[in-house]
Amino acid sequence: MRRSFAVALERYGYQVVAAADGLSGLEAFRDEGFDLLILDVMLPGLDGIGLCRRVRESSLVPVLMMSARGDGLDVVAGLEAGADDYVVKPVDTYVLVARIRSLLRRATYAPAATATHAAPPAPGGPAPSEGELLVFGDLTIDTGGLEVAVAGRAVALTPTELKLLLVFAARPGIVLERHTLLRDVWDYGWDGDSRVVDLCVQRLRGKLGRDRIETVRGFGYKLRR
């Protein structure tokens, strides 16, 4: 599967470096610069969950997790480890490429993870305004420099976390349903697994403060003014 995906992605114009196990993948990550990582949960040696955690210690590069488990336990573990998205195997190449393009579009919002293959931001997503500073209590968002701070302390967000925050900040005080967030942040044109939204909101709360994003039961989430 690794070899077949590498050949298919190269046909789409991507440069691919493949690793057969987690430790080799970690070594390649440290030696070379990547625009995006695809990690299988069941990697031998260092598994995909552990590898994702190691990557997140030093990088905000977009991470796509791949799982063979249909019950979603690996998916949840991968997202909690810092992955930005996931696919469940078996997966068609065109679906994988669509997810890759979606992640690279999100990465254009984060200078630390700018992708060479990135397309323009998706319609419906927030377009950062040059030099605009948004303030919500002790939370400040520089939409030009794409910098976030809480009480004057800089906060490092992954590309997906940053785009989710920008979507909230574009409509403060407005309840956003999960399917709306899936569309605007993850580019899903369907009511996908809402756990990806819930876990990303959970990670944002951990970085910004538990009370910053409010849960409106039965509807969705909103950013407090």
Side-chain angles (χ1 to χ4, degrees), residues 37-39 41 49 62-80 82-89 91 95-96 98-100 102-103 106 160 182 186 188 190-199 203:
L37 302 179
I38 301 174
L39 306 181
V41 170
I49 306 295
V63 174
L64 175 63
M65 191 68 71
M66 187 175 289
S67 170
R69 291 178 56 142
D71 58 12
L73 294 178
D74 286 338
V75 169
V76 172
L79 293 171
E80 288 180 337
D84 295 282
D85 199 358
Y86 70 89
V87 292
V88 177
K89 298 185 294 187
V91 57
V95 173
L96 181 63
R99 294 291 180 84
I100 290 172
S102 175
L103 279 173
R106 279 178 249 163
T160 299
L182 282 169
W186 283 267
Y188 292 177
W190 45 279
D191 292 338
D193 192 335
S194 63
R195 282 174 299 184
V196 68
V197 176
D198 298 336
L199 288 169
R203 293 208 308 263

Side-chain angles (χ1 to χ4, degrees), residues 11 34 37 64 83 99 101 106 139 143 153 155 222:
R11 289 174 179 169
F34 292 99
L37 302 179
L64 175 63
R99 294 291 180 84
R101 288 173 174 168
R106 279 178 249 163
L139 170 66
T143 60
R153 178 181 58 85
V155 177
K222 68 177 180 179

Side-chain angles (χ1 to χ4, degrees), residues 129-179:
S129 302
E130 184 176 357
E132 184 178 5
L133 185 66
L134 305 178
V135 180
F136 304 96
D138 62 355
L139 170 66
T140 58
I141 307 169
D142 180 353
T143 60
L146 295 175
E147 297 176 345
V148 177
V150 174
R153 178 181 58 85
V155 177
L157 301 179
T158 67
T160 299
E161 293 166 352
L162 178 57
K163 187 171 182 181
L164 179 61
L165 180 59
L166 289 172
V167 169
F168 279 125
R171 288 165 277 185
I174 302 298
V175 178
L176 301 179
E177 297 179 342
R178 289 175 175 83
H179 70 81

Side-chain angles (χ1 to χ4, degrees), residues 26-40:
L26 181 61
E27 183 178 355
F29 165 74
R30 289 172 172 171
D31 291 343
E32 304 186 43
F34 292 99
D35 296 326
L36 181 141
L37 302 179
I38 301 174
L39 306 181
D40 195 306

